[in-house]
Amino acid sequence: MSGSGTNLQVLIDSPDIRPHIRLVVSDRPGAVALSRAEKAGIPTAQVRWEQHGARDEFSAAVAEVIESHGAEGVVLAGFMRILSAGFVDRFPGRILNIHPSLLPAFPGANAVESALDHGVKVTGVTVHFVDEKVDHGPIIAQEPVEVFEGDTVDSLHARIQRVEHVLYPRIVRSLVQDRLAIEHGLASA
Ligand code: GAR
């Protein structure tokens, strides 16, 4: 996590998912996600980019703290750092990300703004397996979200997040039940 952790909160609030959450990791000390985890009694860790400085070292430190807590999979939600190929190899087929667009359209940190700037009429939410590229990897599930006239980044993102909060628990549930796979580079659920 890097941010507010509303997706984390819905996972914490899902009784069948909560027991599987071993640890919440953030790269930002002040991340609201950390206080959500603490309130729920879930161990937390901070791995700061500045302490490592390079992607490989940072990613290795994140992987080590995850493994030391016995976690076997990784669920990214608003994590604004790119992880190394070595990190991806340590959790094969077990790293998920959620992104506020219909990938491959609008990867990156400003997906909602870019969709508005392009005047698209429909955007949405993507859940995908993570590879070493930004907002990239086999797509597991997508849901469309209509863009309304007069939408702002905030109003559209709020509608997108309501969809995220239903979709992500569904897919994370499949992950913890071992029902997700990658075959020939494509995701199956
Ligand atoms: C979510 O909307 C997620 O899709 C987006 O960050 C937000 C995090 O919200 N992720 C990306 O843009 C990834 N490129 P949250 O901290 O409230 O869960």
Side-chain angles (χ1 to χ4, degrees), residues 36-71:
R36 291 180 190 274
E38 280 158 16
K39 213 167 152 196
I42 298 168
T44 62
Q46 298 173 31
V47 181
R48 298 187 63 178
W49 179 267
E50 299 75 29
Q51 288 168 333
H52 300 280
R55 183 173 308 160
D56 285 348
E57 287 76 11
F58 172 78
S59 302
V62 176
E64 269 147 38
V65 74
I66 289 171
E67 285 174 347
S68 73
H69 283 75

Side-chain angles (χ1 to χ4, degrees), residues 1-8 36 77-80 97-100 107-111 134-135 157 160-161 164-165:
M1 315 285 156
S2 302
S4 65
T6 62
N7 280 288
L8 169 65
R36 291 180 190 274
F79 187 65
M80 294 308 189
N97 184 40
I98 190 158
H99 183 75
N110 302 308
V134 180
D135 298 323
H157 198 190
I160 286 172
Q161 287 227 290
E164 291 186 336
H165 296 164

Side-chain angles (χ1 to χ4, degrees), residues 106-169:
F106 312 125
N110 302 308
V112 180
E113 192 178 356
S114 302
L116 278 176
D117 287 349
H118 275 77
V120 298
K121 306 305 176 208
V122 177
T123 183
V125 176
T126 302
V127 177
H128 63 98
F129 284 113
V130 169
D131 64 17
E132 69 286 356
K133 296 187 202 147
V134 180
D135 298 323
H136 190 271
I139 290 171
I140 300 165
Q142 292 184 303
E143 291 282 345
V145 174
E146 202 179 337
V147 180
F148 297 149
E149 241 182 88
D151 253 335
T152 62
V153 172
D154 285 349
S155 65
L156 180 55
H157 198 190
R159 254 185 356 273
I160 286 172
Q161 287 227 290
R162 282 204 286 280
V163 173
E164 291 186 336
H165 296 164
V166 178
L167 185 61
Y168 218 11

